[in-house]
Amino acid sequence: MIKAVIRPEKTEEVVEALAQEGFLALTRVDVVGRGKQGGLSVGEVVYDELPKSLLLLVVQEEEVERVCNTIIESARTGRFGDGKIFVSPVEEVYTIRTGRAEL
Amino acid sequence: MIKAVIRPEKTEEVVEALAQEGFLALTRVDVVGRGKQGGLSVGEVVYDELPKSLLLLVVQEEEVERVCNTIIESARTGRFGDGKIFVSPVEEVYTIRTGRAEL
Amino acid sequence: MIKAVIRPEKTEEVVEALAQEGFLALTRVDVVGRGKQGGLSVGEVVYDELPKSLLLLVVQEEEVERVCNTIIESARTGRFGDGKIFVSPVEEVYTIRTGRAEL
C-alpha cells in the first residue's frame, strides 16, 4: 500500500499521471498536515496546518518504485510542503464484487 | 488492520453486520475513490470519482477471515464499485484510556 | 507508522505535546468512530458514532514507544472513548520535495 500526502492543488496532476501509467484505482481523502518545518510562515502569521490530499493505492511489489517515481515527479514543486510517500505491506486484498482474494 | 472501501449507502448494513458478529469497534472516514473501471459513465458524462466509505478495524489474526467475509457479504451488490478490502499487519495496539498494550 | 484515534477536543493538546518532544510532522483526518462500548448512551438516546481525530505519524523504530507514551498521556481522560493507537510497519518513506528515500 502506497500512501501519498500531497498538495491538494497537485491532486489532479498526480491522478492523471498515475492513470497514464495504468494505475486507475485509488482512494483519496482530504486531510490536514504539517511537515518538519512546522507550517508556513507568512509575515507574522504561522499557518500551522495546511490542507493536504492523501492518496491510497495498492499495487504489486514490482510496481512500487514506478508508482512512487510517478507521484514524486507529478507532485513535486521543489518547495517545503510537497509531501511524503509511505509504503507499507499489505497481506491480503479482496474485491468485494467478486468476493475473491487478489494477492 | 482491515481497511474496507465500500459504497457509502452500504455503510449502515456493513456496520450492523459486523456488530452482530461482535465487532463493534471501528473507525469510518468519508473518502472518494475510483476503481479499475475508472469511474462511472452515464451517457457522455464520466464520473471519475465517487464517494466511498472507508472502514478501519483492528482484529485478531484468527478473526480476519470472518470479518472479511462479513464485509463482503453485507457490502456486495455485484456491480462495479463495490469496493475493496485490504488487510495489513499491525505490530502494537494501545488503549489510551488504560494506557495498556493489547497485542 | 503510528495511527492514533483520539477525542477531537484533545487534538491540540496531543499535537502540542508531540511538538514539544520534537515530532512536528503529522497528518490529521476527521473521522467517526465507536469503541467496544458501542457508542455513548445519554438517557434513551444512543450516540452510535462519535467524531474522532485520526493522527498519522511516521517515526523511527526506536522512537515509537516515546511517541505512544506522549499520545497516551496527552490524549487520556480516563473515560471510555479516549481512543486507540495502532503501530504498523512502514517499508519505505520518500520526501517528495527532494525525491529521496528516508528509511
Side-chain angles (χ1 to χ4, degrees):
Chain A
M1 177 170 285
I2 297 173
K3 297 184 180 109
V5 181
I6 63 171
R7 297 179 185 277
E9 65 267 27
K10 281 288 190 176
T11 304
E12 207 178 320
E13 203 174 325
V14 173
V15 169
E16 185 56 36
L18 288 168
Q20 287 193 356
E21 292 287 317
F23 302 101
L24 282 164
L26 59 82
T27 301
R28 184 171 59 75
V29 198
D30 293 324
V31 301
V32 292
R34 63 175 184 178
K36 285 220 180 76
Q37 78 287 8
L40 177 71
S41 303
V42 179
E44 301 258 325
V45 186
V46 179
Y47 295 95
D48 225 16
E49 293 192 324
L50 294 167
K52 297 282 172 188
S53 191
L54 172 62
L55 304 183
L56 305 173
L57 287 97
V58 173
V59 303
Q60 300 294 325
E61 194 75 45
E62 61 270 23
E63 299 173 326
V64 169
E65 204 185 325
R66 189 154 62 97
V67 169
C68 289
N69 285 339
T70 302
I71 296 172
I72 289 170
E73 279 162 33
S74 54
R76 188 197 286 171
T77 68
R79 288 172 285 126
F80 284 101
D82 275 354
K84 294 266 185 188
I85 303 173
F86 308 111
V87 182
S88 54
V90 167
E91 290 165 343
E92 296 166 47
V93 177
Y94 297 92
T95 297
I96 292 173
R97 177 177 53 84
T98 60
R100 274 202 293 269
E102 304 221 351
L103 262 181
Chain B
M1 175 171 285
I2 297 173
K3 297 183 180 108
V5 180
I6 63 171
R7 294 180 187 277
E9 65 267 28
K10 281 286 190 177
T11 305
E12 206 178 321
E13 202 174 326
V14 173
V15 169
E16 186 55 38
L18 287 169
Q20 287 192 359
E21 291 286 318
F23 302 101
L24 282 164
L26 60 81
T27 302
R28 184 170 60 73
V29 198
D30 292 323
V31 301
V32 292
R34 64 175 184 180
K36 285 222 180 72
Q37 78 286 6
L40 178 70
S41 304
V42 178
E44 301 259 324
V45 186
V46 179
Y47 295 95
D48 224 15
E49 294 193 323
L50 293 168
K52 297 283 171 188
S53 192
L54 171 62
L55 304 183
L56 304 173
L57 287 97
V58 173
V59 303
Q60 299 295 324
E61 193 76 44
E62 60 271 21
E63 299 173 328
V64 168
E65 204 185 325
R66 189 155 61 96
V67 169
C68 289
N69 286 339
T70 303
I71 295 172
I72 288 169
E73 279 162 33
S74 54
R76 188 197 286 171
T77 68
R79 287 173 287 127
F80 284 101
D82 275 355
K84 293 264 183 186
I85 304 174
F86 307 111
V87 182
S88 53
V90 168
E91 291 166 342
E92 297 166 45
V93 177
Y94 296 92
T95 297
I96 293 173
R97 178 177 53 83
T98 60
R100 273 201 293 267
E102 303 220 352
L103 261 180
Chain C
M1 175 172 284
I2 297 173
K3 297 184 180 108
V5 180
I6 63 171
R7 296 180 186 278
E9 65 268 28
K10 281 287 191 177
T11 305
E12 205 178 320
E13 203 173 325
V14 173
V15 169
E16 185 57 36
L18 287 168
Q20 287 193 358
E21 292 287 318
F23 302 101
L24 283 164
L26 59 80
T27 301
R28 185 171 59 75
V29 198
D30 293 324
V31 301
V32 293
R34 63 175 184 181
K36 287 223 179 71
Q37 80 284 7
L40 177 72
S41 303
V42 178
E44 301 259 324
V45 187
V46 179
Y47 295 95
D48 225 18
E49 292 192 325
L50 293 168
K52 297 283 173 188
S53 191
L54 171 61
L55 304 183
L56 305 173
L57 287 97
V58 172
V59 303
Q60 299 294 326
E61 193 75 46
E62 61 269 23
E63 299 173 327
V64 168
E65 205 186 323
R66 189 155 62 95
V67 168
C68 289
N69 286 339
T70 302
I71 295 172
I72 289 168
E73 280 162 32
S74 54
R76 188 196 286 169
T77 69
R79 287 172 286 128
F80 284 101
D82 275 353
K84 293 265 185 187
I85 304 172
F86 307 111
V87 182
S88 54
V90 168
E91 290 166 342
E92 297 167 45
V93 177
Y94 296 93
T95 297
I96 292 173
R97 178 176 53 83
T98 60
R100 274 202 292 268
E102 304 220 352
L103 262 180

